[in-house]
Amino acid sequence: AGMAGAFLMEIRRGTQSALLVIRYAAAELPSAPVEVSVCADSLEVRSGGSCDAAALPAGVSLAPSSCRGLQRHHSRSKEFLPKVVFTLRESLKPNKNYIVYCQSCGDIVVKDRKFLRVLPLPSENWSDLVEEWCCHPDPFARRTLYPQHGDCFVGDTFFLLNSGNESHVPESPKSKENTRVICKRCKTMLGETVSSGTIKYYVTEVIIQPAEGSFSPTPRSQFVQSMVAQCLLELSSSKSTFRFTIKGDNGKTYILIWLLNSDTLLVESLASSSSRSDFTLFGDVLKPSSGPVGTWNAVKVLYQPCIQCRNKELAILWENDMGVHPLKFPSETCLELLLILGLSTTSLPPSLRCMNSFQV
């Protein structure tokens, strides 16, 4: 049985520590004193004559002697769940055939394309640094990196393909609006044309899989969270960059994100009535088979919304800071991400939702 007070545990792999929060709805607050017992593999909450217990998931154990206090206690923990970081650059292999699907509806966007070369692109702001590298005029000026038919060039949030004779691509774009590449079936924006023969597909809008595989749909919010988290993890690891601006294809800044950590394991009881009535941080990732306690790998970020002229001065400071990395997505996806972040924040206990002026 689930606990009358749902619990949320935030475990840090690096420090082997955990923050445990017992959650009660206002109407369910116990009148008698509450006693919390922490065992190696379970939690118990006693109040009056009642006692509720919840078992921790397999692979997570606590050292009870390390727990102190009721309001907040840090405990040593061990977890053995694998941490898998997927990156597009590692998954795409040369001399293999791939199919590109629309993530929203599953329609085939690019049929059976064989990649002879899969090459990483430099960061979008790489040209800003050339003057610091070169003591003579920019040797790369007016040069562009466009893929041939067998090429796939992979950027931070997109990949470039030669358009070939794809029917969904505008033949002669005359304006910014005409460069948008739209799914024929569901009319979702998938990317944009960057030259007469090159298309930029955003990683949040398409799924690229080996031709011998089959398309399996993923809930939209889960997919967006996963792909954005992958971008943050890869860039923080390769470039030691932890601050990001989320920009739309219209050039506007939508969100400022500060990556706190990527080694978080969240454990939450799912059977409690109070946690079911609220939006949970993991949204459509939850499945009935998850049982009374669920575990999730998580990326913890601080963020500031920038829509409707909010945080305008801070956004200008970040945009002019070379230590801040810009990430570009379709404007609609930026709004989706902002909604996901907001719902994630409200799912946390009130004391954990803010840090300084940022939301968590």
Side-chain angles (χ1 to χ4, degrees), residues 16-311:
Q16 293 287 284
S17 64
L19 173 66
L20 169 64
V21 180
I22 306 294
R23 308 177 69 175
Y24 281 92
E28 298 175 352
L29 282 174
S31 55
V34 175
E35 179 184 347
V36 179
S37 299
V38 181
C39 305
D41 57 357
S42 65
L43 304 170
E44 290 185 356
V45 178
R46 294 184 178 87
S47 178
S50 64
C51 176
D52 293 298
L56 294 175
V60 177
S61 61
L62 299 177
S65 61
S66 68
C67 300
R68 297 289 183 271
L70 177 63
Q71 289 187 338
R72 180 179 299 167
H73 37 172
H74 299 270
S75 59
R76 294 192 303 274
S77 62
K78 295 182 179 179
E79 54 80 22
F80 306 99
L81 300 179
K83 182 183 179 184
V84 179
V85 178
F86 163 87
T87 64
L88 191 63
R89 297 179 187 185
E90 294 176 358
S91 65
L92 297 180
K93 304 295 182 183
N95 296 311
K96 288 192 65 174
N97 288 37
Y98 291 91
I99 297 176
V100 179
Y101 301 89
C102 169
Q103 194 277 325
S104 298
C105 70
D107 194 32
I108 293 180
V109 178
V110 178
K111 299 178 182 178
D112 212 7
R113 179 75 66 87
K114 185 175 184 178
F115 297 147
L116 301 178
R117 298 191 302 172
V118 179
L119 302 174
L121 286 168
S123 302
E124 287 195 50
N125 60 348
W126 67 273
S127 58
D128 298 336
L129 301 174
V130 170
E131 291 183 0
E132 304 297 329
W133 299 340
C134 300
C135 59
H136 48 79
D138 181 1
F140 307 107
R142 295 179 296 279
R143 288 191 181 185
T144 52
L145 299 173
Y146 290 148
Q148 301 302 310
H149 185 73
D151 294 339
C152 178
F153 293 173
V154 184
D156 293 337
T157 63
F158 62 90
F159 57 92
L160 300 180
L161 296 183
N162 187 281
S163 60
N165 53 7
E166 304 296 337
S167 60
H168 60 286
V169 179
E171 291 183 5
S172 55
K174 297 180 177 62
S175 68
K176 175 66 179 175
E177 187 64 27
N178 289 338
T179 66
R180 291 164 67 94
V181 175
I182 307 296
C183 175
K184 292 182 293 184
R185 179 189 289 176
C186 68
K187 308 306 179 186
T188 298
M189 178 188 173
L190 306 176
E192 54 192 283
T193 56
V194 295
S195 76
S196 59
T198 303
I199 315 175
K200 173 194 289 186
Y201 291 106
Y202 288 103
V203 296
T204 52
E205 313 308 314
V206 297
I207 294 178
I208 182 167
Q209 292 184 339
E212 62 269 17
S214 58
F215 177 79
S216 55
T218 304
R220 177 64 183 164
S221 65
Q222 178 184 344
F223 185 80
V224 171
Q225 289 181 72
S226 174
M227 297 310 296
V228 172
Q230 289 169 27
C231 292
L232 299 181
L233 289 177
E234 186 173 1
L235 288 168
S236 65
S237 174
S238 62
K239 304 180 186 299
S240 296
T241 298
F242 302 97
R243 289 184 296 159
F244 305 87
T245 55
I246 305 298
K247 291 177 171 286
D249 62 290
N250 56 6
K252 294 181 180 180
T253 299
Y254 284 81
I255 317 170
L256 308 177
I257 289 183
W258 197 326
L259 176 63
L260 275 189
N261 66 66
S262 57
D263 65 343
T264 294
L265 178 75
L266 287 171
V267 182
E268 186 181 32
S269 59
L270 307 179
S272 125
S273 58
S274 61
S275 65
R276 278 185 176 176
S277 61
D278 299 328
F279 175 91
T280 178
L281 173 60
F282 320 104
D284 45 32
V285 182
L286 295 182
K287 297 179 175 63
S289 60
S290 296
V293 177
T295 59
W296 296 265
N297 292 319
V299 171
K300 188 172 185 179
V301 301
L302 306 180
Y303 70 96
Q304 291 275 25
C306 294
I307 59 174
Q308 299 176 339
C309 296
R310 295 174 63 183
N311 300 301

Side-chain angles (χ1 to χ4, degrees), residues 300-359:
K300 188 172 185 179
V301 301
L302 306 180
Y303 70 96
Q304 291 275 25
C306 294
I307 59 174
Q308 299 176 339
C309 296
R310 295 174 63 183
N311 300 301
K312 190 173 182 180
E313 293 182 0
L314 182 61
I316 293 174
L317 286 174
W318 279 38
E319 288 168 7
N320 294 328
D321 189 332
M322 292 297 291
V324 178
H325 194 87
L327 295 176
K328 182 180 176 183
F329 299 101
S331 302
E332 296 86 350
T333 302
C334 295
L335 292 173
E336 284 183 89
L337 178 59
L338 189 56
L339 176 62
I340 291 169
L341 287 169
L343 292 172
S344 299
T345 299
T346 57
S347 74
L348 293 171
S351 60
L352 303 181
R353 294 177 187 174
C354 296
M355 183 177 292
N356 298 328
S357 61
F358 286 79
Q359 299 180 65

